[in-house]
């Protein structure tokens, strides 16, 4: 085993930690929306269907902490706060949107599998 | 607006629902591990570091329901249960592994951003 191969479990852990973000549906939506350019909190909130004020604040803080987003406060009254993707955030959009495109293209196959599984497991209500 | 464009929010929902899987670190690890070929429950459990019996059962059931994995029971004593990727599961590996590769390649940038954020927010303990 070469020294570089000794780190395989560590590599998995790294990947998991970073891609945990992809399963956070709010984070994915925010990153994709900010692909257009910088936005205010209220604009992001409107674009991300169903997100609460608190959840969006938490999401944006996580994205800022991980280096995907910058947060700039302008000293107006009330303060204007703008969020923008960093270069790292822009780079993340490619693998995320590939996964999203795959998901959209294959959604009907997943939906069919779920329906078949539920029917097989006897959990499906029979339509009248 | 063409009729097909009226479904953009629906498309986002579709993508979110399917890619929620990618944030489930157990699911990702199982899908990647099964890329090698069919495996028994005990083999999967050994390969997925830190997963509990119960969590792995739930993970495999979710993957089976979504059509990514098949489960075959052989009537031996004790019964042998094998899990195998479906064609859909194999197709999912490509966008997942691209995202994983991105994550591994960029892990140090994320780690640096986190350290800088924590220092800035005054939450970091000073090393002695």
């Amino acid at each position: 085993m070469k020294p570089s191969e000794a780190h395989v479990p560590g590599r998995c852990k790294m990947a998991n930690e970073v891609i945990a973000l992809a399963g956070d549906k709010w984070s994915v939506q925010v990153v994709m929306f900010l692909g257009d350019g910088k936005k205010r909190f209220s604009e992001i909130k409107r674009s991300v269907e169903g997100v609460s004020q608190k959840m969006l604040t938490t999401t944006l803080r996580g994205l800022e902490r991980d280096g995907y987003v910058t947060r700039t406060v302008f000293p107006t009254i009330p303060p204007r706060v703008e969020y923008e993707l960093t270069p790292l955030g822009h780079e993340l959009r490619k693998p995320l949107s590939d996964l999203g495109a795959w998901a959209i293209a294959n959604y009907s196959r997943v939906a069919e599998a779920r329906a078949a599984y539920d029917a097989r497991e006897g959990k499906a209500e029979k339509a009248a």
Side-chain angles (χ1 to χ4, degrees), chain A:
Chain A
M1 187 187 279
K2 285 177 287 183
S4 64
E5 289 172 349
H7 294 290
V8 171
R11 286 163 60 89
C12 286
K13 190 164 173 291
M14 273 159 40
N16 281 324
E17 220 179 280
V18 176
I19 71 180
L21 170 112
D24 176 334
K25 63 178 180 174
W26 306 129
S27 294
V28 173
Q29 286 185 64
V30 170
V31 169
M32 298 315 290
F33 181 62
L34 290 178
D36 279 352
K38 59 188 163 194
K39 305 284 179 192
R40 297 187 191 195
F41 187 92
S42 57
E43 293 176 293
I44 301 171
K45 187 159 185 319
R46 268 197 304 276
S47 87
V48 179
E49 220 180 320
V51 75
S52 68
Q53 181 101 5
K54 190 180 166 186
M55 201 59 230
L56 183 54
T57 301
T58 303
T59 298
L60 286 164
R61 198 168 291 155
L63 291 171
E64 191 190 350
R65 180 170 183 257
D66 283 0
Y68 299 121
V69 162
T70 57
R71 177 176 182 273
T72 311
V73 182
F74 297 89
T76 53
I77 299 171
R80 194 170 88 241
V81 183
E82 283 183 355
Y83 295 88
E84 190 169 12
L85 289 183
T86 61
L88 186 68
H90 275 291
E91 290 171 37
L92 175 61
R93 288 174 64 223
K94 172 78 171 83
L96 274 191
S97 74
D98 287 350
L99 184 61
W102 186 92
I104 288 169
N106 291 284
Y107 185 75
S108 64
R109 295 166 76 187
V110 173
E112 277 164 29
R114 283 179 187 168
Y117 180 92
D118 291 346
R120 211 161 60 230
E121 301 293 313
K123 286 172 197 151
E125 296 294 315
K126 290 277 190 301

